[in-house]
PDB file of all heavy atoms in Angstrom:
ATOM      1  N   ILE A1338       2.470  -0.860 -11.717  1.00 94.00           N
ATOM      2  CA  ILE A1338       1.804   0.302 -11.109  1.00 94.00           C
ATOM      3  C   ILE A1338       2.681   1.555 -11.236  1.00 94.00           C
ATOM      4  O   ILE A1338       2.195   2.634 -11.582  1.00 94.00           O
ATOM      5  CB  ILE A1338       1.442  -0.004  -9.636  1.00 94.00           C
ATOM      6  CG1 ILE A1338       0.276  -1.004  -9.624  1.00 94.00           C
ATOM      7  CG2 ILE A1338       1.081   1.264  -8.864  1.00 94.00           C
ATOM      8  CD1 ILE A1338       0.073  -1.707  -8.324  1.00 94.00           C
ATOM      9  N   PHE A1339       3.977   1.383 -10.996  1.00 95.00           N
ATOM     10  CA  PHE A1339       4.914   2.524 -11.090  1.00 95.00           C
ATOM     11  C   PHE A1339       5.000   3.048 -12.523  1.00 95.00           C
ATOM     12  O   PHE A1339       5.312   4.206 -12.755  1.00 95.00           O
ATOM     13  CB  PHE A1339       6.293   2.071 -10.583  1.00 95.00           C
ATOM     14  CG  PHE A1339       7.216   3.200 -10.184  1.00 95.00           C
ATOM     15  CD1 PHE A1339       6.821   4.538 -10.210  1.00 95.00           C
ATOM     16  CD2 PHE A1339       8.520   2.919  -9.775  1.00 95.00           C
ATOM     17  CE1 PHE A1339       7.692   5.563  -9.843  1.00 95.00           C
ATOM     18  CE2 PHE A1339       9.408   3.939  -9.407  1.00 95.00           C
ATOM     19  CZ  PHE A1339       8.975   5.264  -9.437  1.00 95.00           C
ATOM     20  N   SER A1340       4.684   2.180 -13.506  1.00 93.00           N
ATOM     21  CA  SER A1340       4.743   2.594 -14.925  1.00 93.00           C
ATOM     22  C   SER A1340       3.639   3.583 -15.293  1.00 93.00           C
ATOM     23  O   SER A1340       3.719   4.239 -16.331  1.00 93.00           O
ATOM     24  CB  SER A1340       4.626   1.370 -15.841  1.00 93.00           C
ATOM     25  OG  SER A1340       5.690   0.493 -15.613  1.00 93.00           O
ATOM     26  N   ARG A1341       2.602   3.678 -14.448  1.00 92.00           N
ATOM     27  CA  ARG A1341       1.515   4.634 -14.743  1.00 92.00           C
ATOM     28  C   ARG A1341       2.080   6.063 -14.740  1.00 92.00           C
ATOM     29  O   ARG A1341       2.834   6.435 -13.840  1.00 92.00           O
ATOM     30  CB  ARG A1341       0.407   4.511 -13.696  1.00 92.00           C
ATOM     31  CG  ARG A1341      -0.296   3.159 -13.699  1.00 92.00           C
ATOM     32  CD  ARG A1341      -1.473   3.164 -12.750  1.00 92.00           C
ATOM     33  NE  ARG A1341      -2.124   1.854 -12.656  1.00 92.00           N
ATOM     34  CZ  ARG A1341      -3.281   1.636 -12.038  1.00 92.00           C
ATOM     35  NH1 ARG A1341      -3.913   2.658 -11.448  1.00 92.00           N
ATOM     36  NH2 ARG A1341      -3.803   0.419 -11.984  1.00 92.00           N
ATOM     37  N   PRO A1342       1.675   6.887 -15.737  1.00 88.00           N
ATOM     38  CA  PRO A1342       2.300   8.212 -15.913  1.00 88.00           C
ATOM     39  C   PRO A1342       2.185   9.148 -14.710  1.00 88.00           C
ATOM     40  O   PRO A1342       3.091   9.925 -14.446  1.00 88.00           O
ATOM     41  CB  PRO A1342       1.585   8.808 -17.133  1.00 88.00           C
ATOM     42  CG  PRO A1342       0.532   7.849 -17.529  1.00 88.00           C
ATOM     43  CD  PRO A1342       0.721   6.572 -16.792  1.00 88.00           C
ATOM     44  N   ASN A1343       1.076   9.078 -13.962  1.00 89.00           N
ATOM     45  CA  ASN A1343       0.894  10.059 -12.879  1.00 89.00           C
ATOM     46  C   ASN A1343       1.369   9.549 -11.519  1.00 89.00           C
ATOM     47  O   ASN A1343       1.188  10.211 -10.497  1.00 89.00           O
ATOM     48  CB  ASN A1343      -0.575  10.506 -12.795  1.00 89.00           C
ATOM     49  CG  ASN A1343      -1.506   9.330 -12.586  1.00 89.00           C
ATOM     50  OD1 ASN A1343      -1.156   8.189 -12.877  1.00 89.00           O
ATOM     51  ND2 ASN A1343      -2.704   9.602 -12.080  1.00 89.00           N
ATOM     52  N   ILE A1344       1.969   8.365 -11.470  1.00 93.00           N
ATOM     53  CA  ILE A1344       2.464   7.805 -10.202  1.00 93.00           C
ATOM     54  C   ILE A1344       3.962   8.113 -10.081  1.00 93.00           C
ATOM     55  O   ILE A1344       4.748   7.757 -10.963  1.00 93.00           O
ATOM     56  CB  ILE A1344       2.204   6.281 -10.121  1.00 93.00           C
ATOM     57  CG1 ILE A1344       0.710   5.987 -10.264  1.00 93.00           C
ATOM     58  CG2 ILE A1344       2.751   5.696  -8.818  1.00 93.00           C
ATOM     59  CD1 ILE A1344      -0.183   6.623  -9.208  1.00 93.00           C
ATOM     60  N   THR A1345       4.329   8.775  -9.002  1.00 92.00           N
ATOM     61  CA  THR A1345       5.718   9.232  -8.832  1.00 92.00           C
ATOM     62  C   THR A1345       6.469   8.382  -7.797  1.00 92.00           C
ATOM     63  O   THR A1345       5.862   7.559  -7.106  1.00 92.00           O
ATOM     64  CB  THR A1345       5.737  10.692  -8.341  1.00 92.00           C
ATOM     65  OG1 THR A1345       5.147  10.725  -7.023  1.00 92.00           O
ATOM     66  CG2 THR A1345       4.966  11.617  -9.269  1.00 92.00           C
ATOM     67  N   THR A1346       7.753   8.634  -7.675  1.00 93.00           N
ATOM     68  CA  THR A1346       8.565   7.961  -6.645  1.00 93.00           C
ATOM     69  C   THR A1346       7.995   8.239  -5.257  1.00 93.00           C
ATOM     70  O   THR A1346       7.920   7.340  -4.412  1.00 93.00           O
ATOM     71  CB  THR A1346      10.025   8.463  -6.716  1.00 93.00           C
ATOM     72  OG1 THR A1346      10.541   8.162  -8.004  1.00 93.00           O
ATOM     73  CG2 THR A1346      10.891   7.793  -5.672  1.00 93.00           C
ATOM     74  N   GLU A1347       7.578   9.504  -5.028  1.00 93.00           N
ATOM     75  CA  GLU A1347       7.018   9.877  -3.722  1.00 93.00           C
ATOM     76  C   GLU A1347       5.787   9.013  -3.397  1.00 93.00           C
ATOM     77  O   GLU A1347       5.603   8.586  -2.254  1.00 93.00           O
ATOM     78  CB  GLU A1347       6.624  11.367  -3.692  1.00 93.00           C
ATOM     79  CG  GLU A1347       7.778  12.337  -3.507  1.00 93.00           C
ATOM     80  CD  GLU A1347       8.774  12.310  -4.667  1.00 93.00           C
ATOM     81  OE1 GLU A1347       8.333  12.239  -5.831  1.00 93.00           O
ATOM     82  OE2 GLU A1347       9.993  12.312  -4.393  1.00 93.00           O
ATOM     83  N   ASP A1348       4.951   8.747  -4.411  1.00 94.00           N
ATOM     84  CA  ASP A1348       3.776   7.893  -4.205  1.00 94.00           C
ATOM     85  C   ASP A1348       4.211   6.478  -3.833  1.00 94.00           C
ATOM     86  O   ASP A1348       3.682   5.881  -2.890  1.00 94.00           O
ATOM     87  CB  ASP A1348       2.903   7.838  -5.471  1.00 94.00           C
ATOM     88  CG  ASP A1348       2.367   9.209  -5.856  1.00 94.00           C
ATOM     89  OD1 ASP A1348       2.017   9.979  -4.942  1.00 94.00           O
ATOM     90  OD2 ASP A1348       2.301   9.498  -7.064  1.00 94.00           O
ATOM     91  N   MET A1349       5.164   5.937  -4.571  1.00 95.00           N
ATOM     92  CA  MET A1349       5.591   4.552  -4.342  1.00 95.00           C
ATOM     93  C   MET A1349       6.285   4.390  -2.987  1.00 95.00           C
ATOM     94  O   MET A1349       6.240   3.317  -2.392  1.00 95.00           O
ATOM     95  CB  MET A1349       6.517   4.081  -5.470  1.00 95.00           C
ATOM     96  CG  MET A1349       5.859   3.978  -6.841  1.00 95.00           C
ATOM     97  SD  MET A1349       4.340   2.993  -6.874  1.00 95.00           S
ATOM     98  CE  MET A1349       4.944   1.350  -6.546  1.00 95.00           C
ATOM     99  N   ARG A1350       6.915   5.451  -2.512  1.00 95.00           N
ATOM    100  CA  ARG A1350       7.609   5.370  -1.219  1.00 95.00           C
ATOM    101  C   ARG A1350       6.622   5.244  -0.042  1.00 95.00           C
ATOM    102  O   ARG A1350       7.026   4.917   1.072  1.00 95.00           O
ATOM    103  CB  ARG A1350       8.517   6.594  -1.023  1.00 95.00           C
ATOM    104  CG  ARG A1350       9.758   6.544  -1.896  1.00 95.00           C
ATOM    105  CD  ARG A1350      10.693   7.691  -1.678  1.00 95.00           C
ATOM    106  NE  ARG A1350      11.560   7.466  -0.531  1.00 95.00           N
ATOM    107  CZ  ARG A1350      12.747   8.055  -0.368  1.00 95.00           C
ATOM    108  NH1 ARG A1350      13.209   8.885  -1.305  1.00 95.00           N
ATOM    109  NH2 ARG A1350      13.465   7.821   0.702  1.00 95.00           N
ATOM    110  N   LYS A1351       5.345   5.495  -0.318  1.00 94.00           N
ATOM    111  CA  LYS A1351       4.324   5.312   0.735  1.00 94.00           C
ATOM    112  C   LYS A1351       4.035   3.831   0.965  1.00 94.00           C
ATOM    113  O   LYS A1351       3.404   3.458   1.952  1.00 94.00           O
ATOM    114  CB  LYS A1351       3.034   6.059   0.345  1.00 94.00           C
ATOM    115  CG  LYS A1351       3.201   7.585   0.385  1.00 94.00           C
ATOM    116  CD  LYS A1351       1.998   8.284  -0.223  1.00 94.00           C
ATOM    117  CE  LYS A1351       2.267   9.787  -0.361  1.00 94.00           C
ATOM    118  NZ  LYS A1351       1.267  10.450  -1.226  1.00 94.00           N
ATOM    119  N   VAL A1352       4.491   2.993   0.015  1.00 93.00           N
ATOM    120  CA  VAL A1352       4.382   1.543   0.197  1.00 93.00           C
ATOM    121  C   VAL A1352       5.537   1.119   1.101  1.00 93.00           C
ATOM    122  O   VAL A1352       6.702   1.388   0.791  1.00 93.00           O
ATOM    123  CB  VAL A1352       4.446   0.805  -1.162  1.00 93.00           C
ATOM    124  CG1 VAL A1352       4.401  -0.704  -0.969  1.00 93.00           C
ATOM    125  CG2 VAL A1352       3.321   1.276  -2.082  1.00 93.00           C
ATOM    126  N   ALA A1353       5.224   0.477   2.216  1.00 93.00           N
ATOM    127  CA  ALA A1353       6.234   0.171   3.249  1.00 93.00           C
ATOM    128  C   ALA A1353       7.444  -0.572   2.694  1.00 93.00           C
ATOM    129  O   ALA A1353       8.593  -0.243   3.009  1.00 93.00           O
ATOM    130  CB  ALA A1353       5.590  -0.639   4.370  1.00 93.00           C
ATOM    131  N   SER A1354       7.211  -1.574   1.817  1.00 95.00           N
ATOM    132  CA  SER A1354       8.337  -2.390   1.319  1.00 95.00           C
ATOM    133  C   SER A1354       9.306  -1.565   0.464  1.00 95.00           C
ATOM    134  O   SER A1354      10.510  -1.831   0.438  1.00 95.00           O
ATOM    135  CB  SER A1354       7.818  -3.592   0.528  1.00 95.00           C
ATOM    136  OG  SER A1354       7.044  -3.152  -0.572  1.00 95.00           O
ATOM    137  N   VAL A1355       8.777  -0.548  -0.261  1.00 95.00           N
ATOM    138  CA  VAL A1355       9.634   0.308  -1.097  1.00 95.00           C
ATOM    139  C   VAL A1355      10.540   1.164  -0.214  1.00 95.00           C
ATOM    140  O   VAL A1355      11.763   1.218  -0.403  1.00 95.00           O
ATOM    141  CB  VAL A1355       8.790   1.207  -2.036  1.00 95.00           C
ATOM    142  CG1 VAL A1355       9.683   2.182  -2.810  1.00 95.00           C
ATOM    143  CG2 VAL A1355       7.976   0.361  -3.001  1.00 95.00           C
ATOM    144  N   GLU A1356       9.943   1.807   0.780  1.00 95.00           N
ATOM    145  CA  GLU A1356      10.739   2.661   1.677  1.00 95.00           C
ATOM    146  C   GLU A1356      11.762   1.814   2.447  1.00 95.00           C
ATOM    147  O   GLU A1356      12.906   2.240   2.635  1.00 95.00           O
ATOM    148  CB  GLU A1356       9.810   3.416   2.644  1.00 95.00           C
ATOM    149  CG  GLU A1356      10.493   4.475   3.491  1.00 95.00           C
ATOM    150  CD  GLU A1356      11.224   5.554   2.683  1.00 95.00           C
ATOM    151  OE1 GLU A1356      10.793   5.877   1.543  1.00 95.00           O
ATOM    152  OE2 GLU A1356      12.235   6.074   3.182  1.00 95.00           O
ATOM    153  N   ASP A1357      11.358   0.609   2.857  1.00 96.00           N
ATOM    154  CA  ASP A1357      12.295  -0.287   3.561  1.00 96.00           C
ATOM    155  C   ASP A1357      13.489  -0.625   2.667  1.00 96.00           C
ATOM    156  O   ASP A1357      14.629  -0.646   3.126  1.00 96.00           O
ATOM    157  CB  ASP A1357      11.586  -1.596   3.973  1.00 96.00           C
ATOM    158  CG  ASP A1357      10.607  -1.374   5.117  1.00 96.00           C
ATOM    159  OD1 ASP A1357      10.662  -0.278   5.739  1.00 96.00           O
ATOM    160  OD2 ASP A1357       9.773  -2.275   5.372  1.00 96.00           O
ATOM    161  N   TYR A1358      13.199  -0.898   1.381  1.00 97.00           N
ATOM    162  CA  TYR A1358      14.280  -1.249   0.433  1.00 97.00           C
ATOM    163  C   TYR A1358      15.260  -0.075   0.285  1.00 97.00           C
ATOM    164  O   TYR A1358      16.479  -0.258   0.335  1.00 97.00           O
ATOM    165  CB  TYR A1358      13.691  -1.621  -0.936  1.00 97.00           C
ATOM    166  CG  TYR A1358      14.735  -2.137  -1.914  1.00 97.00           C
ATOM    167  CD1 TYR A1358      14.910  -3.508  -2.108  1.00 97.00           C
ATOM    168  CD2 TYR A1358      15.552  -1.266  -2.634  1.00 97.00           C
ATOM    169  CE1 TYR A1358      15.871  -3.990  -2.990  1.00 97.00           C
ATOM    170  CE2 TYR A1358      16.526  -1.731  -3.507  1.00 97.00           C
ATOM    171  CZ  TYR A1358      16.679  -3.093  -3.683  1.00 97.00           C
ATOM    172  OH  TYR A1358      17.651  -3.561  -4.547  1.00 97.00           O
ATOM    173  N   ILE A1359      14.708   1.135   0.120  1.00 96.00           N
ATOM    174  CA  ILE A1359      15.549   2.329  -0.057  1.00 96.00           C
ATOM    175  C   ILE A1359      16.448   2.536   1.165  1.00 96.00           C
ATOM    176  O   ILE A1359      17.655   2.774   1.032  1.00 96.00           O
ATOM    177  CB  ILE A1359      14.673   3.584  -0.325  1.00 96.00           C
ATOM    178  CG1 ILE A1359      14.049   3.501  -1.723  1.00 96.00           C
ATOM    179  CG2 ILE A1359      15.490   4.877  -0.181  1.00 96.00           C
ATOM    180  CD1 ILE A1359      12.980   4.540  -2.015  1.00 96.00           C
ATOM    181  N   GLN A1360      15.871   2.413   2.348  1.00 96.00           N
ATOM    182  CA  GLN A1360      16.638   2.648   3.584  1.00 96.00           C
ATOM    183  C   GLN A1360      17.671   1.543   3.818  1.00 96.00           C
ATOM    184  O   GLN A1360      18.831   1.827   4.131  1.00 96.00           O
ATOM    185  CB  GLN A1360      15.692   2.743   4.794  1.00 96.00           C
ATOM    186  CG  GLN A1360      14.720   3.923   4.755  1.00 96.00           C
ATOM    187  CD  GLN A1360      15.393   5.277   4.594  1.00 96.00           C
ATOM    188  OE1 GLN A1360      16.515   5.498   5.053  1.00 96.00           O
ATOM    189  NE2 GLN A1360      14.720   6.188   3.897  1.00 96.00           N
ATOM    190  N   SER A1361      17.264   0.300   3.625  1.00 97.00           N
ATOM    191  CA  SER A1361      18.187  -0.812   3.923  1.00 97.00           C
ATOM    192  C   SER A1361      19.337  -0.894   2.924  1.00 97.00           C
ATOM    193  O   SER A1361      20.423  -1.371   3.254  1.00 97.00           O
ATOM    194  CB  SER A1361      17.424  -2.141   3.949  1.00 97.00           C
ATOM    195  OG  SER A1361      16.848  -2.400   2.687  1.00 97.00           O
ATOM    196  N   HIS A1362      19.108  -0.420   1.686  1.00 97.00           N
ATOM    197  CA  HIS A1362      20.176  -0.432   0.675  1.00 97.00           C
ATOM    198  C   HIS A1362      20.869   0.922   0.553  1.00 97.00           C
ATOM    199  O   HIS A1362      21.727   1.107  -0.318  1.00 97.00           O
ATOM    200  CB  HIS A1362      19.616  -0.866  -0.689  1.00 97.00           C
ATOM    201  CG  HIS A1362      19.231  -2.308  -0.741  1.00 97.00           C
ATOM    202  ND1 HIS A1362      18.024  -2.762  -0.225  1.00 97.00           N
ATOM    203  CD2 HIS A1362      19.883  -3.407  -1.207  1.00 97.00           C
ATOM    204  CE1 HIS A1362      17.952  -4.069  -0.402  1.00 97.00           C
ATOM    205  NE2 HIS A1362      19.067  -4.488  -0.985  1.00 97.00           N
ATOM    206  N   ASN A1363      20.450   1.873   1.406  1.00 96.00           N
ATOM    207  CA  ASN A1363      21.087   3.197   1.449  1.00 96.00           C
ATOM    208  C   ASN A1363      21.161   3.850   0.060  1.00 96.00           C
ATOM    209  O   ASN A1363      22.219   4.304  -0.380  1.00 96.00           O
ATOM    210  CB  ASN A1363      22.503   3.057   2.058  1.00 96.00           C
ATOM    211  CG  ASN A1363      23.046   4.400   2.531  1.00 96.00           C
ATOM    212  OD1 ASN A1363      22.285   5.334   2.777  1.00 96.00           O
ATOM    213  ND2 ASN A1363      24.362   4.499   2.621  1.00 96.00           N
ATOM    214  N   LEU A1364      20.027   3.865  -0.645  1.00 95.00           N
ATOM    215  CA  LEU A1364      19.993   4.403  -2.014  1.00 95.00           C
ATOM    216  C   LEU A1364      19.944   5.932  -1.997  1.00 95.00           C
ATOM    217  O   LEU A1364      19.189   6.524  -1.222  1.00 95.00           O
ATOM    218  CB  LEU A1364      18.768   3.875  -2.779  1.00 95.00           C
ATOM    219  CG  LEU A1364      18.648   2.353  -2.927  1.00 95.00           C
ATOM    220  CD1 LEU A1364      17.471   2.017  -3.841  1.00 95.00           C
ATOM    221  CD2 LEU A1364      19.929   1.727  -3.467  1.00 95.00           C
ATOM    222  N   ASP A1365      20.763   6.564  -2.859  1.00 93.00           N
ATOM    223  CA  ASP A1365      20.728   8.027  -2.951  1.00 93.00           C
ATOM    224  C   ASP A1365      19.766   8.458  -4.062  1.00 93.00           C
ATOM    225  O   ASP A1365      19.225   7.632  -4.809  1.00 93.00           O
ATOM    226  CB  ASP A1365      22.133   8.615  -3.145  1.00 93.00           C
ATOM    227  CG  ASP A1365      22.786   8.196  -4.465  1.00 93.00           C
ATOM    228  OD1 ASP A1365      22.051   7.815  -5.402  1.00 93.00           O
ATOM    229  OD2 ASP A1365      24.019   8.265  -4.571  1.00 93.00           O
ATOM    230  N   ASN A1366      19.548   9.779  -4.170  1.00 92.00           N
ATOM    231  CA  ASN A1366      18.555  10.301  -5.114  1.00 92.00           C
ATOM    232  C   ASN A1366      18.885   9.966  -6.571  1.00 92.00           C
ATOM    233  O   ASN A1366      17.987   9.748  -7.374  1.00 92.00           O
ATOM    234  CB  ASN A1366      18.419  11.826  -4.958  1.00 92.00           C
ATOM    235  CG  ASN A1366      17.679  12.168  -3.681  1.00 92.00           C
ATOM    236  OD1 ASN A1366      16.906  11.358  -3.174  1.00 92.00           O
ATOM    237  ND2 ASN A1366      17.913  13.354  -3.131  1.00 92.00           N
ATOM    238  N   GLU A1367      20.193   9.931  -6.909  1.00 93.00           N
ATOM    239  CA  GLU A1367      20.586   9.621  -8.303  1.00 93.00           C
ATOM    240  C   GLU A1367      20.137   8.227  -8.684  1.00 93.00           C
ATOM    241  O   GLU A1367      19.655   7.994  -9.795  1.00 93.00           O
ATOM    242  CB  GLU A1367      22.113   9.734  -8.464  1.00 93.00           C
ATOM    243  CG  GLU A1367      22.590  11.131  -8.859  1.00 93.00           C
ATOM    244  CD  GLU A1367      24.059  11.137  -9.274  1.00 93.00           C
ATOM    245  OE1 GLU A1367      24.427  10.375 -10.177  1.00 93.00           O
ATOM    246  OE2 GLU A1367      24.828  11.921  -8.694  1.00 93.00           O
ATOM    247  N   VAL A1368      20.309   7.271  -7.778  1.00 95.00           N
ATOM    248  CA  VAL A1368      19.935   5.878  -8.043  1.00 95.00           C
ATOM    249  C   VAL A1368      18.410   5.761  -8.141  1.00 95.00           C
ATOM    250  O   VAL A1368      17.877   5.113  -9.050  1.00 95.00           O
ATOM    251  CB  VAL A1368      20.483   4.945  -6.935  1.00 95.00           C
ATOM    252  CG1 VAL A1368      19.918   3.535  -7.081  1.00 95.00           C
ATOM    253  CG2 VAL A1368      22.003   4.927  -6.971  1.00 95.00           C
ATOM    254  N   ILE A1369      17.691   6.411  -7.225  1.00 95.00           N
ATOM    255  CA  ILE A1369      16.226   6.353  -7.203  1.00 95.00           C
ATOM    256  C   ILE A1369      15.661   6.957  -8.501  1.00 95.00           C
ATOM    257  O   ILE A1369      14.768   6.385  -9.137  1.00 95.00           O
ATOM    258  CB  ILE A1369      15.669   7.082  -5.952  1.00 95.00           C
ATOM    259  CG1 ILE A1369      16.129   6.353  -4.679  1.00 95.00           C
ATOM    260  CG2 ILE A1369      14.151   7.183  -6.003  1.00 95.00           C
ATOM    261  CD1 ILE A1369      15.945   7.151  -3.389  1.00 95.00           C
ATOM    262  N   GLU A1370      16.216   8.113  -8.898  1.00 94.00           N
ATOM    263  CA  GLU A1370      15.757   8.776 -10.134  1.00 94.00           C
ATOM    264  C   GLU A1370      16.041   7.896 -11.345  1.00 94.00           C
ATOM    265  O   GLU A1370      15.213   7.772 -12.255  1.00 94.00           O
ATOM    266  CB  GLU A1370      16.465  10.129 -10.272  1.00 94.00           C
ATOM    267  CG  GLU A1370      16.058  10.911 -11.510  1.00 94.00           C
ATOM    268  CD  GLU A1370      16.843  12.211 -11.658  1.00 94.00           C
ATOM    269  OE1 GLU A1370      17.942  12.182 -12.256  1.00 94.00           O
ATOM    270  OE2 GLU A1370      16.362  13.241 -11.173  1.00 94.00           O
ATOM    271  N   GLN A1371      17.226   7.276 -11.361  1.00 95.00           N
ATOM    272  CA  GLN A1371      17.618   6.415 -12.480  1.00 95.00           C
ATOM    273  C   GLN A1371      16.638   5.252 -12.634  1.00 95.00           C
ATOM    274  O   GLN A1371      16.198   4.935 -13.745  1.00 95.00           O
ATOM    275  CB  GLN A1371      19.037   5.898 -12.224  1.00 95.00           C
ATOM    276  CG  GLN A1371      19.665   5.188 -13.394  1.00 95.00           C
ATOM    277  CD  GLN A1371      19.713   6.044 -14.633  1.00 95.00           C
ATOM    278  OE1 GLN A1371      19.236   5.624 -15.676  1.00 95.00           O
ATOM    279  NE2 GLN A1371      20.243   7.253 -14.540  1.00 95.00           N
ATOM    280  N   ALA A1372      16.266   4.631 -11.503  1.00 95.00           N
ATOM    281  CA  ALA A1372      15.330   3.502 -11.537  1.00 95.00           C
ATOM    282  C   ALA A1372      13.963   3.953 -12.063  1.00 95.00           C
ATOM    283  O   ALA A1372      13.340   3.266 -12.882  1.00 95.00           O
ATOM    284  CB  ALA A1372      15.195   2.905 -10.145  1.00 95.00           C
ATOM    285  N   GLU A1373      13.511   5.122 -11.612  1.00 94.00           N
ATOM    286  CA  GLU A1373      12.208   5.643 -12.061  1.00 94.00           C
ATOM    287  C   GLU A1373      12.192   5.853 -13.577  1.00 94.00           C
ATOM    288  O   GLU A1373      11.234   5.473 -14.262  1.00 94.00           O
ATOM    289  CB  GLU A1373      11.891   6.970 -11.346  1.00 94.00           C
ATOM    290  CG  GLU A1373      10.540   7.539 -11.776  1.00 94.00           C
ATOM    291  CD  GLU A1373      10.119   8.794 -11.028  1.00 94.00           C
ATOM    292  OE1 GLU A1373      10.938   9.359 -10.266  1.00 94.00           O
ATOM    293  OE2 GLU A1373       8.964   9.219 -11.211  1.00 94.00           O
ATOM    294  N   ILE A1374      13.284   6.434 -14.110  1.00 95.00           N
ATOM    295  CA  ILE A1374      13.369   6.672 -15.564  1.00 95.00           C
ATOM    296  C   ILE A1374      13.343   5.337 -16.322  1.00 95.00           C
ATOM    297  O   ILE A1374      12.638   5.189 -17.315  1.00 95.00           O
ATOM    298  CB  ILE A1374      14.633   7.496 -15.904  1.00 95.00           C
ATOM    299  CG1 ILE A1374      14.486   8.932 -15.382  1.00 95.00           C
ATOM    300  CG2 ILE A1374      14.899   7.498 -17.411  1.00 95.00           C
ATOM    301  CD1 ILE A1374      15.775   9.739 -15.359  1.00 95.00           C
ATOM    302  N   GLN A1375      14.117   4.351 -15.827  1.00 95.00           N
ATOM    303  CA  GLN A1375      14.184   3.045 -16.504  1.00 95.00           C
ATOM    304  C   GLN A1375      12.823   2.345 -16.505  1.00 95.00           C
ATOM    305  O   GLN A1375      12.481   1.634 -17.448  1.00 95.00           O
ATOM    306  CB  GLN A1375      15.228   2.149 -15.819  1.00 95.00           C
ATOM    307  CG  GLN A1375      16.671   2.621 -15.955  1.00 95.00           C
ATOM    308  CD  GLN A1375      17.161   2.681 -17.393  1.00 95.00           C
ATOM    309  OE1 GLN A1375      16.681   1.966 -18.270  1.00 95.00           O
ATOM    310  NE2 GLN A1375      18.111   3.567 -17.647  1.00 95.00           N
ATOM    311  N   ILE A1376      12.045   2.550 -15.443  1.00 94.00           N
ATOM    312  CA  ILE A1376      10.724   1.907 -15.362  1.00 94.00           C
ATOM    313  C   ILE A1376       9.711   2.637 -16.251  1.00 94.00           C
ATOM    314  O   ILE A1376       9.010   2.036 -17.056  1.00 94.00           O
ATOM    315  CB  ILE A1376      10.236   1.862 -13.896  1.00 94.00           C
ATOM    316  CG1 ILE A1376      11.101   0.880 -13.098  1.00 94.00           C
ATOM    317  CG2 ILE A1376       8.754   1.485 -13.818  1.00 94.00           C
ATOM    318  CD1 ILE A1376      10.932   0.954 -11.588  1.00 94.00           C
ATOM    319  N   LYS A1377       9.661   3.962 -16.120  1.00 93.00           N
ATOM    320  CA  LYS A1377       8.623   4.735 -16.818  1.00 93.00           C
ATOM    321  C   LYS A1377       8.871   4.841 -18.330  1.00 93.00           C
ATOM    322  O   LYS A1377       7.931   4.971 -19.105  1.00 93.00           O
ATOM    323  CB  LYS A1377       8.513   6.138 -16.223  1.00 93.00           C
ATOM    324  CG  LYS A1377       7.845   6.147 -14.855  1.00 93.00           C
ATOM    325  CD  LYS A1377       7.419   7.535 -14.469  1.00 93.00           C
ATOM    326  CE  LYS A1377       6.592   7.559 -13.211  1.00 93.00           C
ATOM    327  NZ  LYS A1377       5.357   6.805 -13.301  1.00 93.00           N
TER     328      LYS A1377
END
């Protein structure tokens, strides 16, 4: 789903498990952006 061109990190963060993962692993913006690029 994240691979779809018009779906952004902000969209995926609305999914509870994604936001929980980001908060519990204390991910910063560089890591989040890096993951998005690797997926898309």
Side-chain angles (χ1 to χ4, degrees):
I1338 288 163
F1339 199 3
S1340 299
R1341 296 186 184 190
N1343 57 339
I1344 302 300
T1345 65
T1346 300
E1347 282 64 41
D1348 299 322
M1349 294 307 292
R1350 287 183 83 156
K1351 291 170 188 167
V1352 177
S1354 59
V1355 175
E1356 188 57 31
D1357 288 347
Y1358 186 98
I1359 289 170
Q1360 296 305 329
S1361 62
H1362 290 80
N1363 198 21
L1364 301 186
D1365 64 22
N1366 287 335
E1367 270 191 55
V1368 171
I1369 296 166
E1370 181 183 87
Q1371 190 57 234
E1373 180 176 9
I1374 291 166
Q1375 293 298 334
I1376 291 168
K1377 287 195 172 299

